[in-house]
Every structure is written in C-alpha cells, then in structure tokens.
Amino acid sequence: MKISTKGRYALRMMLDLAYHQDEGYIALKDIARRQNISKKYLEQIVSLMRGPDILATSRGYRGGYRLARPPRDYTVGEILRLTEGSLAPVACLEEGADKCPRAAGCETLPVWQGLYTRITDYLDSLTLQDIIDHTRENAPMDFMI
C-alpha cells in the first residue's frame, strides 16, 4: 500500500484547519500558501472531504472551510479512507471484493490480514489532535504500534 499525494495533502490540509480552527473559516488560498500546495489541487481534495460531519463551509467574503468536529474526533485512517478509498494491502481484503476462489487454502492470506489489521488499528488510533499535541511539545513523531 502506498499513500498518494492526495492522501498526504488531505492530511496536511486537515491539520492546517485544526491549527487555525479558532480563526473561523479559512480560505483555500491561505492553506495553499502555508502548505505550499496548489489551490486547484486542494479544491479536488475538498470535493472528496465534503460532508456535514467532515468540513463546514461558508461562501462569500469571509468564506472558506473549517473542521466540522474537534480535531480529536478525526482519525488519520478516516481522512485517508476519504481520499484513498480502501487501505487494504491486497485486493481480496477490500470491502465488497469478490471472494477469492483461493481464500480457503491461501497460505499468504493471514499475512495480509495481519498487515491490514495493523495498518487500520494504527491509523485509526491517531487523531489530528495527537499530531498537534506532539508537534506543540516539539517531540519527535514517535507514534509506535
């Protein structure tokens, strides 16, 4: 599994919104400038992140985006699933995938299931607030499984 630029930039965008949550709605141009990401690319990411429980939006002069929930309520796993889709390391573990005819006798399936469990457990245990707290404490990103 490889996380695309879209997933990495979505996480950076959401963190930027979390850091600036007390400033109200944030324009994409401001996020783009701070994160050194194209505004056009952020517009594509925002289209994936829409939903009343993900981002709140406001149009007009002071319009923009803000988090719909507190940073502690967003997991890295949730953000990546919105942009990447499945986080499964192999196709046969993706949600809704056809049952592999070899599944019953597949010697490697437990390896992929274990990896998938570790990936999802890890990413679903990290919140935006966890990342902010570590950054503010100037601690290294020592998130360990």
Side-chain angles (χ1 to χ4, degrees):
M1 177 194 69
K2 186 174 183 179
I3 304 299
S4 72
T5 304
K6 196 171 284 185
R8 294 190 325 266
Y9 286 4
L11 183 56
R12 286 173 47 193
M13 180 191 79
M14 295 295 280
L15 276 168
D16 191 284
L17 289 170
Y19 278 113
H20 297 277
Q21 65 185 341
D22 295 336
E23 298 172 25
Y25 290 93
I26 307 297
L28 279 185
K29 67 179 175 129
D30 295 330
I31 299 169
R33 180 181 37 79
R34 285 190 295 260
Q35 296 299 320
N36 196 28
I37 301 171
S38 157
K39 181 180 176 251
K40 291 280 188 203
Y41 201 39
L42 286 178
E43 289 170 353
Q44 293 175 28
I45 292 169
V46 163
S47 71
L48 298 172
M49 309 295 280
R50 291 220 170 134
D53 63 333
I54 304 296
L55 291 177
T57 63
S58 176
R59 294 181 181 253
Y61 172 68
R62 292 193 149 313
Y65 298 89
R66 66 176 176 78
L67 298 180
R69 308 185 311 248
R72 71 177 176 278
D73 291 345
Y74 292 87
T75 68
V76 173
E78 173 187 18
I79 294 164
L80 292 179
R81 280 186 204 88
L82 287 169
T83 55
E84 302 290 331
S86 174
L87 298 175
V90 292
C92 63
L93 293 178
E94 291 180 1
E95 192 171 319
D98 292 333
K99 180 137 174 100
C100 175
R102 293 185 36 89
C106 182
E107 297 170 337
T108 62
L109 184 58
V111 172
W112 307 129
Q113 288 170 325
L115 178 60
Y116 185 46
T117 298
R118 285 196 165 79
I119 289 169
T120 56
D121 288 351
Y122 176 68
L123 295 176
D124 290 338
S125 74
L126 292 175
T127 67
L128 292 178
Q129 190 64 54
D130 292 331
I131 296 170
I132 290 168
D133 291 345
H134 272 77
T135 302
R136 287 187 175 154
E137 295 168 6
N138 292 322
M141 294 296 285
D142 58 354
F143 299 111
M144 300 301 289
I145 295 175

